[in-house]
Coordinates of all heavy atoms in Angstrom, one line a residue:
M1 N 8.5 -4.0 2.2 CA 9.8 -3.3 1.9 C 10.2 -3.8 0.5 O 10.1 -4.9 0.1 CB 10.8 -3.6 2.9 CG 10.4 -3.3 4.3 SD 11.7 -2.8 5.4 CE 12.0 -1.2 4.9
Y2 N 10.8 -2.9 -0.2 CA 11.3 -3.2 -1.6 C 12.7 -3.8 -1.6 O 13.6 -3.4 -0.9 CB 11.3 -1.9 -2.4 CG 11.9 -2.0 -3.8 CD1 11.2 -2.6 -4.8 CD2 13.2 -1.7 -4.1 CE1 11.7 -2.8 -6.0 CE2 13.7 -1.8 -5.3 CZ 13.0 -2.4 -6.3 OH 13.5 -2.6 -7.6
S3 N 12.8 -4.8 -2.4 CA 14.1 -5.5 -2.5 C 14.5 -5.4 -4.0 O 13.8 -6.0 -4.8 CB 14.0 -7.0 -2.1 OG 15.2 -7.6 -2.4
P4 N 15.6 -4.7 -4.3 CA 16.0 -4.6 -5.7 C 16.3 -5.9 -6.4 O 16.3 -6.0 -7.6 CB 17.1 -3.6 -5.7 CG 17.7 -3.7 -4.3 CD 16.5 -4.0 -3.4
D5 N 16.7 -6.9 -5.7 CA 17.2 -8.1 -6.3 C 16.0 -8.9 -6.9 O 16.1 -9.3 -8.0 CB 17.8 -9.0 -5.2 CG 19.1 -8.5 -4.7 OD1 19.7 -7.6 -5.4 OD2 19.5 -8.8 -3.6
N6 N 14.9 -9.0 -6.2 CA 13.8 -9.8 -6.8 C 12.6 -8.9 -7.1 O 11.6 -9.4 -7.5 CB 13.4 -10.9 -5.8 CG 12.9 -10.4 -4.5 OD1 12.7 -9.2 -4.3 ND2 12.8 -11.3 -3.5
E7 N 12.7 -7.6 -6.9 CA 11.7 -6.6 -7.3 C 10.4 -6.9 -6.6 O 9.4 -6.3 -7.0 CB 11.5 -6.5 -8.8 CG 12.8 -6.1 -9.5 CD 12.6 -6.0 -11.0 OE1 11.4 -6.0 -11.4 OE2 13.6 -5.8 -11.7
K8 N 10.3 -7.7 -5.6 CA 9.1 -7.9 -4.8 C 9.4 -7.5 -3.4 O 10.4 -7.8 -2.8 CB 8.7 -9.4 -4.8 CG 8.2 -9.9 -6.2 CD 7.7 -11.3 -6.1 CE 7.3 -11.8 -7.4 NZ 6.8 -13.2 -7.4
P9 N 8.4 -6.9 -2.8 CA 8.6 -6.5 -1.4 C 8.6 -7.7 -0.4 O 7.9 -8.7 -0.7 CB 7.5 -5.5 -1.1 CG 6.4 -5.9 -2.1 CD 7.1 -6.4 -3.3
F10 N 9.3 -7.6 0.6 CA 9.3 -8.7 1.6 C 7.9 -8.5 2.4 O 7.6 -7.4 2.9 CB 10.5 -8.5 2.6 CG 10.4 -9.5 3.7 CD1 10.7 -10.9 3.5 CD2 10.1 -9.1 5.0 CE1 10.7 -11.8 4.5 CE2 10.0 -10.1 6.0 CZ 10.3 -11.4 5.8
P11 N 7.1 -9.6 2.4 CA 5.8 -9.4 3.0 C 5.9 -9.2 4.5 O 6.5 -10.0 5.2 CB 5.1 -10.7 2.7 CG 6.1 -11.6 2.1 CD 7.4 -10.9 1.8
I12 N 5.3 -8.1 5.0 CA 5.2 -7.8 6.4 C 3.9 -8.4 6.9 O 2.9 -7.9 6.5 CB 5.3 -6.3 6.6 CG1 6.6 -5.7 6.1 CG2 5.2 -6.0 8.1 CD1 7.9 -6.2 6.7
R13 N 4.0 -9.4 7.7 CA 2.9 -10.1 8.2 C 3.3 -10.8 9.5 O 4.4 -10.6 10.0 CB 2.3 -11.1 7.2 CG 3.4 -12.2 6.9 CD 2.7 -13.2 6.0 NE 3.7 -14.2 5.5 CZ 4.0 -15.3 6.2 NH1 3.5 -15.5 7.4 NH2 4.9 -16.2 5.7
V14 N 2.4 -11.5 10.1 CA 2.7 -12.3 11.3 C 3.5 -13.5 10.9 O 3.2 -14.1 9.9 CB 1.4 -12.8 12.0 CG1 1.8 -13.7 13.2 CG2 0.6 -11.6 12.6
Y15 N 4.7 -13.7 11.5 CA 5.5 -14.8 11.3 C 5.7 -15.6 12.6 O 5.9 -15.0 13.7 CB 6.9 -14.4 10.8 CG 7.0 -13.9 9.4 CD1 6.8 -12.6 9.1 CD2 7.2 -14.8 8.3 CE1 6.8 -12.1 7.8 CE2 7.3 -14.3 7.0 CZ 7.1 -13.0 6.8 OH 7.1 -12.5 5.5
S16 N 5.7 -16.9 12.5 CA 6.2 -17.6 13.7 C 7.7 -17.4 13.9 O 8.4 -17.0 12.9 CB 5.9 -19.1 13.5 OG 6.9 -19.7 12.7
K17 N 8.1 -17.5 15.1 CA 9.5 -17.2 15.4 C 10.4 -18.2 14.6 O 11.4 -17.8 14.0 CB 9.8 -17.3 16.9 CG 9.2 -16.1 17.6 CD 9.6 -16.1 19.0 CE 9.1 -14.8 19.7 NZ 9.5 -14.7 21.1
A18 N 10.0 -19.4 14.5 CA 10.8 -20.4 13.8 C 10.8 -20.1 12.3 O 11.9 -20.2 11.6 CB 10.2 -21.8 14.0
E19 N 9.7 -19.7 11.7 CA 9.6 -19.3 10.3 C 10.5 -18.2 10.0 O 11.3 -18.2 9.0 CB 8.1 -19.0 10.0 CG 7.9 -18.6 8.5 CD 6.5 -18.2 8.3 OE1 5.7 -17.9 9.2 OE2 6.1 -18.2 7.1
L20 N 10.5 -17.1 10.8 CA 11.3 -16.0 10.5 C 12.8 -16.3 10.7 O 13.6 -15.9 9.9 CB 10.9 -14.8 11.4 CG 11.5 -13.4 10.9 CD1 11.0 -13.1 9.5 CD2 11.0 -12.3 11.9
A21 N 13.1 -17.1 11.7 CA 14.5 -17.5 11.9 C 15.0 -18.3 10.8 O 16.2 -18.1 10.3 CB 14.6 -18.2 13.2
M22 N 14.2 -19.2 10.2 CA 14.6 -20.0 9.1 C 14.8 -19.2 7.8 O 15.6 -19.5 7.0 CB 13.6 -21.1 8.9 CG 13.7 -22.2 9.9 SD 15.3 -23.0 10.1 CE 15.6 -23.8 8.6
L23 N 14.0 -18.1 7.7 CA 14.2 -17.2 6.5 C 15.6 -16.5 6.6 O 16.2 -16.3 5.6 CB 13.1 -16.2 6.5 CG 11.7 -16.7 6.0 CD1 10.6 -15.6 6.2 CD2 11.8 -17.2 4.6
Y24 N 16.0 -16.1 7.8 CA 17.3 -15.5 8.0 C 18.4 -16.5 8.0 O 19.6 -16.1 7.7 CB 17.3 -14.6 9.3 CG 16.6 -13.3 9.1 CD1 15.3 -13.1 9.4 CD2 17.3 -12.2 8.5 CE1 14.7 -11.8 9.2 CE2 16.7 -11.0 8.3 CZ 15.4 -10.8 8.7 OH 14.8 -9.6 8.5
C25 N 18.2 -17.7 8.5 CA 19.3 -18.7 8.6 C 18.8 -20.0 7.9 O 18.6 -21.0 8.6 CB 19.5 -19.0 10.1 SG 19.9 -17.5 11.1
P26 N 18.7 -20.0 6.6 CA 18.1 -21.1 5.9 C 18.9 -22.4 5.9 O 18.4 -23.4 5.6 CB 17.9 -20.6 4.5 CG 18.9 -19.5 4.3 CD 19.0 -18.9 5.7
H27 N 20.2 -22.3 6.1 CA 21.0 -23.5 6.1 C 21.3 -24.1 7.4 O 22.3 -24.9 7.6 CB 22.3 -23.1 5.3 CG 22.1 -22.6 4.0 ND1 21.6 -23.4 3.0 CD2 22.3 -21.4 3.4 CE1 21.5 -22.6 1.9 NE2 21.9 -21.4 2.1
Q28 N 20.5 -23.7 8.4 CA 20.7 -24.2 9.7 C 19.5 -25.0 10.2 O 18.4 -24.8 9.6 CB 21.0 -23.1 10.7 CG 22.3 -22.4 10.4 CD 22.5 -21.2 11.4 OE1 21.6 -20.8 12.1 NE2 23.7 -20.7 11.4
C29 N 19.6 -25.9 11.1 CA 18.5 -26.6 11.7 C 17.6 -25.5 12.5 O 18.1 -24.4 12.8 CB 18.9 -27.7 12.6 SG 19.7 -27.2 14.1
I30 N 16.4 -25.8 12.7 CA 15.5 -24.9 13.3 C 16.0 -24.4 14.7 O 16.0 -23.2 15.0 CB 14.1 -25.5 13.5 CG1 13.4 -25.6 12.1 CG2 13.2 -24.6 14.4 CD1 12.1 -26.3 12.1
D31 N 16.5 -25.3 15.5 CA 17.0 -24.9 16.8 C 18.2 -23.9 16.7 O 18.2 -22.9 17.4 CB 17.4 -26.1 17.7 CG 16.2 -27.0 18.1 OD1 15.1 -26.5 18.1 OD2 16.4 -28.2 18.4
R32 N 19.1 -24.2 15.9 CA 20.3 -23.3 15.7 C 19.9 -22.0 15.1 O 20.4 -21.0 15.5 CB 21.3 -24.0 14.8 CG 22.6 -23.2 14.6 CD 23.4 -22.9 15.8 NE 23.8 -24.2 16.5 CZ 24.4 -24.2 17.6 NH1 24.7 -23.1 18.3 NH2 24.7 -25.4 18.2
A33 N 19.0 -22.0 14.1 CA 18.5 -20.8 13.5 C 17.8 -19.9 14.5 O 18.1 -18.7 14.6 CB 17.5 -21.1 12.4
L34 N 17.0 -20.5 15.4 CA 16.3 -19.7 16.5 C 17.4 -19.1 17.4 O 17.2 -17.9 17.8 CB 15.3 -20.6 17.2 CG 14.0 -20.8 16.5 CD1 13.3 -22.0 17.2 CD2 13.1 -19.6 16.5
E35 N 18.3 -19.9 17.8 CA 19.4 -19.4 18.7 C 20.1 -18.2 18.1 O 20.3 -17.2 18.8 CB 20.4 -20.5 19.1 CG 19.8 -21.6 20.0 CD 20.8 -22.7 20.2 OE1 22.0 -22.6 19.8 OE2 20.4 -23.8 20.7
N36 N 20.6 -18.4 16.9 CA 21.3 -17.4 16.2 C 20.5 -16.1 16.0 O 21.0 -15.0 16.2 CB 21.9 -17.8 14.9 CG 23.1 -18.8 15.0 OD1 23.7 -18.8 16.1 ND2 23.3 -19.6 14.1
F37 N 19.3 -16.3 15.5 CA 18.4 -15.2 15.3 C 18.1 -14.4 16.5 O 18.2 -13.1 16.6 CB 17.1 -15.6 14.6 CG 16.3 -14.5 14.1 CD1 16.7 -13.7 13.1 CD2 15.0 -14.3 14.7 CE1 15.9 -12.6 12.7 CE2 14.2 -13.2 14.3 CZ 14.6 -12.4 13.3
Y38 N 17.8 -15.1 17.6 CA 17.5 -14.4 18.9 C 18.8 -13.7 19.4 O 18.7 -12.6 19.9 CB 17.0 -15.4 19.9 CG 16.5 -14.8 21.2 CD1 15.4 -13.9 21.1 CD2 17.1 -15.0 22.4 CE1 14.9 -13.2 22.2 CE2 16.6 -14.4 23.5 CZ 15.5 -13.5 23.4 OH 15.0 -12.9 24.6
R39 N 19.9 -14.3 19.2 CA 21.2 -13.6 19.6 C 21.4 -12.3 18.8 O 21.8 -11.3 19.4 CB 22.4 -14.6 19.4 CG 23.7 -14.0 19.9 CD 24.9 -15.0 19.7 NE 24.6 -16.2 20.4 CZ 24.6 -17.4 19.8 NH1 24.7 -17.5 18.5 NH2 24.3 -18.5 20.5
W40 N 21.1 -12.3 17.5 CA 21.2 -11.1 16.7 C 20.3 -10.0 17.3 O 20.7 -8.9 17.3 CB 20.8 -11.4 15.2 CG 21.7 -12.3 14.5 CD1 22.9 -12.7 14.8 CD2 21.4 -12.9 13.2 NE1 23.4 -13.5 13.8 CE2 22.5 -13.6 12.8 CE3 20.3 -12.8 12.3 CZ2 22.6 -14.4 11.7 CZ3 20.4 -13.5 11.2 CH2 21.5 -14.3 10.8
L41 N 19.1 -10.4 17.6 CA 18.2 -9.4 18.2 C 18.7 -8.9 19.5 O 18.7 -7.6 19.7 CB 16.8 -10.1 18.4 CG 16.0 -10.6 17.2 CD1 14.7 -11.1 17.7 CD2 15.9 -9.6 16.1
L42 N 19.2 -9.7 20.4 CA 19.6 -9.3 21.7 C 20.9 -8.4 21.6 O 21.0 -7.4 22.4 CB 20.0 -10.5 22.6 CG 18.8 -11.3 23.1 CD1 19.3 -12.5 23.9 CD2 17.9 -10.4 24.0
L43 N 21.7 -8.6 20.6 CA 22.9 -7.8 20.4 C 22.7 -6.5 19.8 O 23.5 -5.6 19.9 CB 24.0 -8.6 19.6 CG 24.6 -9.8 20.3 CD1 25.5 -10.6 19.3 CD2 25.4 -9.4 21.6
N44 N 21.5 -6.3 19.2 CA 21.2 -5.1 18.5 C 20.3 -4.2 19.5 O 19.1 -4.3 19.6 CB 20.4 -5.3 17.3 CG 20.2 -4.1 16.4 OD1 20.0 -3.0 16.9 ND2 20.4 -4.3 15.1
K45 N 21.0 -3.4 20.4 CA 20.3 -2.7 21.4 C 19.2 -1.7 20.9 O 18.2 -1.7 21.5 CB 21.4 -1.9 22.3 CG 22.4 -2.8 22.9 CD 21.8 -3.8 23.9 CE 22.9 -4.6 24.6 NZ 22.4 -5.7 25.3
P46 N 19.5 -1.0 19.8 CA 18.4 -0.1 19.4 C 17.2 -0.9 18.9 O 16.1 -0.4 19.2 CB 19.1 0.7 18.2 CG 20.5 0.5 18.4 CD 20.8 -0.8 19.1
L47 N 17.4 -2.0 18.2 CA 16.3 -2.8 17.8 C 15.5 -3.3 19.0 O 14.3 -3.2 19.1 CB 16.8 -4.0 17.0 CG 15.7 -5.1 16.7 CD1 14.5 -4.5 15.9 CD2 16.4 -6.2 15.8
M48 N 16.2 -3.8 20.0 CA 15.5 -4.4 21.2 C 14.8 -3.2 21.9 O 13.7 -3.5 22.5 CB 16.5 -5.0 22.2 CG 17.0 -6.4 21.7 SD 15.6 -7.6 21.3 CE 14.9 -7.8 22.9
A49 N 15.3 -2.0 22.0 CA 14.6 -0.9 22.6 C 13.3 -0.6 21.9 O 12.3 -0.4 22.5 CB 15.5 0.3 22.6
E50 N 13.4 -0.6 20.5 CA 12.1 -0.4 19.8 C 11.1 -1.5 19.9 O 9.9 -1.3 20.0 CB 12.4 -0.1 18.3 CG 13.0 1.3 18.1 CD 12.8 1.8 16.7 OE1 11.6 1.8 16.2 OE2 13.8 2.3 16.1
L51 N 11.6 -2.8 19.9 CA 10.7 -3.9 20.1 C 10.0 -3.8 21.4 O 8.8 -4.1 21.5 CB 11.5 -5.2 19.9 CG 11.9 -5.6 18.5 CD1 12.8 -6.9 18.6 CD2 10.7 -5.9 17.6
T52 N 10.8 -3.5 22.4 CA 10.2 -3.3 23.8 C 9.1 -2.2 23.8 O 8.1 -2.4 24.4 CB 11.3 -3.1 24.8 OG1 12.3 -4.1 24.8 CG2 10.7 -2.9 26.2
A53 N 9.4 -1.2 23.1 CA 8.5 0.0 23.1 C 7.2 -0.4 22.4 O 6.1 0.2 22.7 CB 9.1 1.2 22.4
V54 N 7.2 -1.3 21.4 CA 5.9 -1.7 20.8 C 5.3 -2.9 21.4 O 4.3 -3.5 20.9 CB 6.1 -2.0 19.2 CG1 6.6 -0.7 18.6 CG2 7.1 -3.1 19.0
G55 N 5.8 -3.4 22.6 CA 5.2 -4.4 23.3 C 5.7 -5.9 23.0 O 4.9 -6.8 23.2
Y56 N 6.9 -6.0 22.5 CA 7.4 -7.3 22.2 C 7.4 -8.2 23.4 O 7.8 -7.8 24.5 CB 8.9 -7.2 21.7 CG 9.6 -8.5 21.5 CD1 9.2 -9.4 20.6 CD2 10.7 -8.8 22.4 CE1 9.9 -10.6 20.4 CE2 11.4 -10.0 22.2 CZ 11.0 -10.9 21.3 OH 11.7 -12.1 21.2
N57 N 6.9 -9.4 23.2 CA 6.9 -10.4 24.3 C 7.7 -11.6 23.9 O 7.4 -12.3 22.9 CB 5.4 -10.8 24.6 CG 5.3 -11.9 25.6 OD1 6.3 -12.5 26.0 ND2 4.1 -12.1 26.0
K58 N 8.8 -11.8 24.6 CA 9.7 -12.9 24.2 C 9.1 -14.3 24.3 O 9.6 -15.3 23.7 CB 11.1 -12.8 24.9 CG 11.0 -13.2 26.4 CD 12.4 -13.2 27.0 CE 12.4 -13.6 28.4 NZ 13.7 -13.7 29.0
Y59 N 8.0 -14.4 25.0 CA 7.4 -15.7 25.2 C 6.3 -16.0 24.2 O 5.9 -17.1 24.0 CB 6.8 -15.8 26.6 CG 7.8 -15.7 27.7 CD1 7.9 -14.5 28.5 CD2 8.7 -16.7 27.9 CE1 8.9 -14.4 29.4 CE2 9.7 -16.6 28.9 CZ 9.8 -15.4 29.7 OH 10.7 -15.3 30.6
R60 N 5.9 -15.0 23.4 CA 5.0 -15.2 22.3 C 5.6 -16.0 21.2 O 6.8 -15.8 21.0 CB 4.5 -13.8 21.8 CG 3.3 -14.0 20.9 CD 2.8 -12.7 20.3 NE 3.0 -11.5 21.0 CZ 3.9 -10.5 20.6 NH1 4.5 -10.6 19.5 NH2 4.0 -9.4 21.4
R61 N 4.9 -16.8 20.6 CA 5.5 -17.7 19.5 C 5.5 -17.1 18.1 O 6.0 -17.7 17.2 CB 4.8 -19.0 19.5 CG 5.0 -19.8 20.7 CD 4.2 -21.1 20.6 NE 4.4 -21.8 21.9 CZ 4.7 -23.1 22.0 NH1 4.8 -23.8 20.9 NH2 4.8 -23.7 23.1
T62 N 5.1 -15.8 18.1 CA 5.0 -15.1 16.8 C 5.6 -13.7 16.9 O 5.7 -13.2 18.0 CB 3.6 -15.0 16.3 OG1 2.8 -14.3 17.2 CG2 2.9 -16.3 16.0
Y63 N 6.0 -13.2 15.7 CA 6.4 -11.8 15.6 C 5.2 -11.1 14.9 O 4.8 -11.6 13.8 CB 7.6 -11.6 14.8 CG 8.9 -12.1 15.4 CD1 9.5 -13.3 15.0 CD2 9.4 -11.4 16.5 CE1 10.7 -13.7 15.6 CE2 10.6 -11.9 17.1 CZ 11.2 -13.1 16.7 OH 12.3 -13.5 17.3
L64 N 4.7 -10.0 15.5 CA 3.6 -9.3 14.9 C 4.2 -8.4 13.7 O 5.4 -8.1 13.7 CB 3.0 -8.4 16.0 CG 2.4 -9.2 17.1 CD1 1.8 -8.2 18.2 CD2 1.4 -10.2 16.7
P65 N 3.3 -8.0 12.9 CA 3.8 -7.2 11.7 C 4.6 -6.0 12.1 O 5.7 -5.7 11.4 CB 2.5 -6.7 11.0 CG 1.5 -7.8 11.4 CD 1.9 -8.2 12.8
R66 N 4.3 -5.2 13.1 CA 5.1 -4.1 13.5 C 6.5 -4.5 14.0 O 7.5 -3.9 13.7 CB 4.4 -3.3 14.6 CG 5.1 -2.1 15.1 CD 5.3 -1.0 14.0 NE 6.1 0.1 14.4 CZ 7.1 0.5 13.7 NH1 7.4 0.0 12.6 NH2 7.8 1.5 14.2
E67 N 6.6 -5.7 14.7 CA 7.9 -6.2 15.1 C 8.7 -6.7 13.9 O 9.9 -6.4 13.8 CB 7.6 -7.4 16.1 CG 7.0 -6.9 17.3 CD 6.4 -8.1 18.2 OE1 6.3 -9.2 17.7 OE2 6.1 -7.8 19.3
V68 N 8.0 -7.3 12.9 CA 8.7 -7.7 11.7 C 9.3 -6.5 10.9 O 10.4 -6.5 10.5 CB 7.8 -8.5 10.8 CG1 8.5 -8.8 9.4 CG2 7.4 -9.8 11.5
E69 N 8.5 -5.4 10.9 CA 9.0 -4.2 10.2 C 10.3 -3.7 10.9 O 11.2 -3.3 10.2 CB 7.9 -3.1 10.3 CG 6.8 -3.2 9.4 CD 5.8 -2.1 9.6 OE1 6.0 -1.1 10.4 OE2 4.7 -2.1 8.9
L70 N 10.3 -3.7 12.2 CA 11.5 -3.2 13.0 C 12.7 -4.1 12.7 O 13.8 -3.7 12.5 CB 11.2 -3.1 14.5 CG 10.2 -2.0 14.8 CD1 9.8 -2.1 16.3 CD2 10.8 -0.6 14.6
I71 N 12.4 -5.4 12.7 CA 13.5 -6.4 12.5 C 14.1 -6.1 11.1 O 15.3 -6.1 11.0 CB 13.0 -7.8 12.7 CG1 12.7 -8.1 14.1 CG2 14.0 -8.8 12.1 CD1 11.9 -9.4 14.4
V72 N 13.3 -6.0 10.1 CA 13.8 -5.7 8.8 C 14.5 -4.4 8.7 O 15.5 -4.3 8.0 CB 12.6 -5.8 7.7 CG1 13.0 -5.3 6.4 CG2 12.1 -7.3 7.7
K73 N 14.0 -3.4 9.4 CA 14.6 -2.1 9.4 C 16.0 -2.2 9.9 O 16.9 -1.5 9.4 CB 13.8 -1.1 10.3 CG 14.4 0.2 10.5 CD 13.5 1.0 11.5 CE 14.3 2.3 12.0 NZ 13.5 3.0 12.9
Y74 N 16.2 -2.9 11.0 CA 17.6 -3.0 11.6 C 18.5 -4.0 11.1 O 19.7 -3.8 11.0 CB 17.4 -3.2 13.1 CG 17.0 -1.9 13.8 CD1 15.7 -1.6 14.1 CD2 18.0 -1.0 14.3 CE1 15.4 -0.4 14.7 CE2 17.7 0.2 14.9 CZ 16.4 0.5 15.1 OH 16.0 1.7 15.7
I75 N 18.0 -5.2 10.7 CA 18.9 -6.2 10.2 C 18.8 -6.6 8.7 O 19.5 -7.4 8.2 CB 18.9 -7.5 11.1 CG1 17.6 -8.2 11.1 CG2 19.3 -7.2 12.5 CD1 17.6 -9.5 11.8
G76 N 17.8 -5.9 8.1 CA 17.6 -6.1 6.7 C 16.7 -7.3 6.4 O 16.2 -8.0 7.3
E77 N 16.4 -7.4 5.1 CA 15.4 -8.4 4.7 C 16.2 -9.8 4.7 O 17.4 -9.8 4.4 CB 14.9 -8.1 3.3 CG 14.0 -6.9 3.2 CD 13.4 -6.7 1.8 OE1 13.7 -7.5 0.9 OE2 12.7 -5.7 1.7
P78 N 15.5 -10.9 4.9 CA 16.1 -12.2 4.8 C 16.7 -12.4 3.4 O 16.1 -12.0 2.4 CB 15.0 -13.2 5.0 CG 13.9 -12.4 5.7 CD 14.1 -11.0 5.2
G79 N 17.8 -13.0 3.4 CA 18.5 -13.3 2.1 C 19.2 -12.2 1.4 O 19.7 -12.3 0.4
S80 N 19.3 -11.0 2.1 CA 19.9 -9.9 1.5 C 21.3 -9.6 2.1 O 21.7 -10.2 3.0 CB 19.1 -8.6 1.6 OG 18.8 -8.3 2.9

């Protein structure tokens, strides 16, 4: 996805849950970042519906590229 601030697209790839949470919450410890990030996902019903539709597994330790695309679509790119 294109970000006008840095003119580089946010890389859509497999991310560990901790890695993606830290990108969205860089000033928090890993545990708090994971809690906050997961809460954002749960509160966003349309996002959770689409994640469920593509086979999201809350027990998997990673987000797949399609899941990352949906997360960015609904909550924006990290740091924006």
Side-chain angles (χ1 to χ4, degrees):
M1 306 206 77
Y2 175 75
S3 174
D5 294 336
N6 60 13
E7 298 182 13
K8 291 183 181 181
F10 177 72
I12 301 297
R13 61 175 177 83
V14 173
Y15 286 90
S16 74
K17 288 186 174 183
E19 180 183 16
L20 195 58
M22 289 303 295
L23 287 172
Y24 278 96
C25 307
H27 301 295
Q28 298 178 346
C29 69
I30 291 174
D31 292 338
R32 180 63 59 184
L34 282 164
E35 288 173 12
N36 285 339
F37 187 66
Y38 190 59
R39 185 177 303 117
W40 293 348
L41 298 183
L42 288 176
L43 292 174
N44 192 320
K45 301 295 184 195
L47 170 57
M48 285 307 296
E50 284 204 53
L51 286 172
T52 301
V54 298
Y56 170 68
N57 178 348
K58 71 177 184 177
Y59 299 108
R60 190 181 333 111
R61 293 179 182 224
T62 59
Y63 291 109
L64 301 177
R66 182 64 185 129
E67 296 166 346
V68 173
E69 284 179 5
L70 291 171
I71 291 167
V72 169
K73 172 183 169 184
Y74 281 92
I75 63 175
E77 293 183 4
S80 57

